C-alpha cells in the first residue's frame, strides 16, 4: 500500500514538474520546448495507458479533432499542389498534431485531478515578471541581464535575436492574474492590497509589451482583458484595473515617447488603410 502511494506521489510530482517546465522551456528555446512537450506526453501516456483506452470524447473534443484534421488536410493539400516537393510543409503539419495530443493528455490528467495548476501558475507568473523586467532593463541600458543587445525598436529580452517576448507575455501573463485572483495565499490579502498587486503587475507587463514592440500580442492581451472583465463578474474590479493600467500607460508613453508613438502609430495607419 505504502509502495503504491509513494509511486503515485512520484508520478504526480513528475507530471506537474514537466508541465511547469513548459514556460521555462519556451524561454530557453523552441527545441527544448518541443522536447519538453514530447516527454510530458509520452510520460503521461505511459503512466495512464489503461485509462486512455477508456477515455470518452465529448462534443468539444470533436470540434478540436475537426480543427486539427483541417490543419492536416491543408498541409497535405499544399504539399501535393506545390511546384516542388517541399517536405517541410507536410512535416510541420504532422508535427502540429503534438498539440492535439497535449490537449487530450491535459484533459485526461484534469479529469483524474492529477494536475496542480497552482504550481504551473507560480512558475508562469515568475517568468512573466522576469521577461517583462528584463525587456524594460534592456530598453533602458541597451542590453538585457544576459548581455543580449537591443535590436532596433523591437526587443527580445532573454529571447535574444528572437523577437517573441511580447508573444510570450500574451500567452502566459494571465496565469499571473488568475494566480492573484484564485490562490489561497492571496485570498488572505485585503481587496485593496490585491488591487494594488493587480495594478503593479499589469503596469510591469504593459511596459514589457510596449518595449518589446510586439503590437499584435499587445492588442490581444488588451482584448482578452476586456473579455475576462465582461464574463468574470465577481473579479471585475481587478480586471478593470488591468484595462485602466494598460490604457493609462499606453496613453502616457504614446504622447511622451517618439519611438513608441511612431511604432504604434504606424500600426494604426496600416490598419486604417
Amino acid at each position: 500500500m505504502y509502495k503504491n502511494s509513494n509511486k503515485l506521489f512520484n508520478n504526480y510530482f513528475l507530471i506537474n514538474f514537466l508541465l511547469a517546465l513548459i514556460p521555462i522551456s519556451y524561454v530557453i528555446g523552441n527545441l527544448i520546448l518541443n522536447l519538453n512537450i514530447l516527454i510530458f506526453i509520452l510520460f503521461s501516456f505511459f503512466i495512464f495507458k489503461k485509462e486512455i483506452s477508456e477515455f470518452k470524447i465529448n462534443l468539444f473534443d470533436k470540434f478540436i479533432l475537426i480543427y486539427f484534421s483541417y490543419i492536416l488536410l491543408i498541409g497535405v493539400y499544399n504539399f501535393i499542389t506545390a511546384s516542388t516537393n517541399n517536405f517541410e510543409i507536410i512535416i510541420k503539419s504532422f508535427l502540429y498534431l503534438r498539440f492535439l495530443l497535449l490537449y487530450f493528455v491535459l484533459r485526461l490528467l484534469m479529469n483524474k485531478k492529477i494536475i496542480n495548476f497552482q504550481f504551473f501558475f507560480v512558475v508562469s507568473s515568475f517568468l512573466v515578471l522576469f521577461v517583462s523586467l528584463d525587456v524594460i532593463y534592456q530598453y533602458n541600458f541597451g542590453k538585457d541581464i544576459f548581455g543580449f543587445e537591443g535590436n532596433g525598436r523591437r526587443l527580445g529580452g532573454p529571447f535574444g535575436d528572437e523577437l517573441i517576448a511580447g508573444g510570450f507575455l500574451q500567452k502566459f501573463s494571465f496565469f499571473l492574474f488568475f494566480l492573484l485572483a484564485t490562490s489561497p495565499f492571496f485570498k488572505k490579502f485585503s481587496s485593496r492590497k490585491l488591487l494594488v498587486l493587480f495594478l503593479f503587475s499589469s503596469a510591469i507587463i504593459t511596459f514589457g509589451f510596449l518595449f518589446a514592440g510586439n503590437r499584435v500580442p499587445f492588442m490581444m492581451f488588451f482584448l482578452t482583458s476586456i473579455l475576462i472583465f465582461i464574463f468574470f463578474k465577481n473579479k471585475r474590479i481587478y480586471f478593470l484595473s488591468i484595462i485602466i493600467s494598460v490604457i493609462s500607460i499606453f496613453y502616457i508613453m504614446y504622447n511622451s515617447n517618439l519611438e513608441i508613438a511612431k511604432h504604434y502609430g504606424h500600426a494604426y495607419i496600416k490598419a486604417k488603410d
Side-chain angles (χ1 to χ4, degrees):
M1 179 74 177
Y2 172 78
K3 188 175 181 180
N4 290 334
S5 299
N6 193 45
K7 185 178 179 181
L8 182 64
F9 174 78
N10 290 335
N11 291 336
Y12 173 87
F13 174 79
L14 281 171
I15 284 172
N16 281 282
F17 178 73
L18 288 169
L19 181 64
L21 280 179
I22 288 178
I24 300 173
S25 303
Y26 195 111
V27 175
I28 296 173
N30 199 44
L31 177 64
I32 301 299
L33 174 62
N34 289 326
L35 184 62
N36 188 172
I37 291 173
L38 179 62
I39 293 172
F40 176 76
I41 292 170
L42 291 176
F43 184 76
S44 300
F45 269 104
F46 177 75
I47 297 299
F48 298 105
K49 50 183 177 289
K50 185 181 290 186
E51 287 82 352
I52 289 169
S53 62
E54 301 168 357
F55 188 79
K56 294 181 180 179
I57 296 175
N58 60 31
L59 181 61
F60 185 75
D61 296 336
K62 291 176 182 178
F63 283 119
I64 294 291
L65 284 168
I66 290 169
Y67 169 75
F68 277 93
S69 299
Y70 172 76
I71 295 294
L72 184 60
L73 286 172
I74 290 295
V76 172
Y77 174 79
N78 289 335
F79 173 73
I80 293 171
T81 58
S83 55
T84 57
N85 290 330
N86 190 352
F87 287 97
E88 187 179 350
I89 297 173
I90 197 73
I91 290 171
K92 282 186 175 181
S93 298
F94 276 99
L95 287 177
Y96 194 71
L97 293 176
R98 68 189 183 278
F99 295 111
L100 175 63
L101 293 175
L102 179 62
Y103 165 77
F104 279 113
V105 165
L106 288 172
R107 266 258 291 125
L108 174 66
L109 296 176
M110 287 170 64
N111 285 345
K112 293 190 68 64
K113 296 180 171 55
I114 297 295
I115 294 179
N116 182 350
F117 279 109
Q118 291 292 321
F119 188 34
F120 179 81
F121 283 12
V122 168
V123 174
S124 298
S125 301
F126 172 79
L127 285 172
V128 162
L129 292 174
F130 170 74
V131 169
S132 298
L133 291 170
D134 193 54
V135 170
I136 294 168
Y137 184 90
Q138 189 179 40
Y139 178 83
N140 286 285
F141 297 100
K143 293 181 179 180
D144 85 322
I145 63 170
F146 299 109
F148 293 124
E149 294 184 359
N151 184 14
R153 177 59 199 88
R154 296 177 63 188
L155 302 175
F159 297 98
D161 294 332
E162 288 188 274
L163 305 177
I164 56 172
F168 175 84
L169 294 178
Q170 182 257 318
K171 289 179 177 67
F172 292 97
S173 57
F174 286 99
F175 292 120
L176 168 59
F177 299 122
F178 281 114
L179 178 70
L180 292 175
T182 62
S183 171
F185 175 79
F186 291 107
K187 282 183 179 179
K188 300 174 185 176
F189 285 47
S190 66
S191 297
R192 184 176 295 179
K193 286 182 180 178
L194 199 55
L195 190 59
V196 169
L197 280 175
F198 264 85
L199 283 167
F200 181 70
S201 301
S202 58
I204 291 174
I205 292 170
T206 301
F207 278 115
F209 269 116
L210 289 175
F211 296 148
N214 303 110
R215 293 172 295 203
V216 174
F218 180 46
M219 182 58 67
M220 290 178 68
F221 169 78
F222 180 64
L223 292 175
T224 304
S225 300
I226 294 173
L227 289 173
I228 294 173
F229 168 76
I230 293 170
F231 291 108
F232 286 77
K233 294 180 181 180
N234 59 330
K235 303 294 181 183
R236 274 183 176 172
I237 184 64
Y238 301 120
F239 287 96
L240 178 62
S241 70
I242 298 173
I243 296 168
I244 293 171
S245 180
V246 170
I247 293 173
S248 302
I249 293 171
F250 180 78
Y251 179 80
I252 293 168
M253 294 301 293
Y254 187 87
N255 288 283
S256 62
N257 189 302
L258 186 60
E259 285 185 346
I260 288 176
K262 284 182 178 178
H263 186 68
Y264 287 91
H266 179 65
Y268 172 75
I269 293 168
K270 283 179 69 177
K272 194 175 179 182
D273 293 340

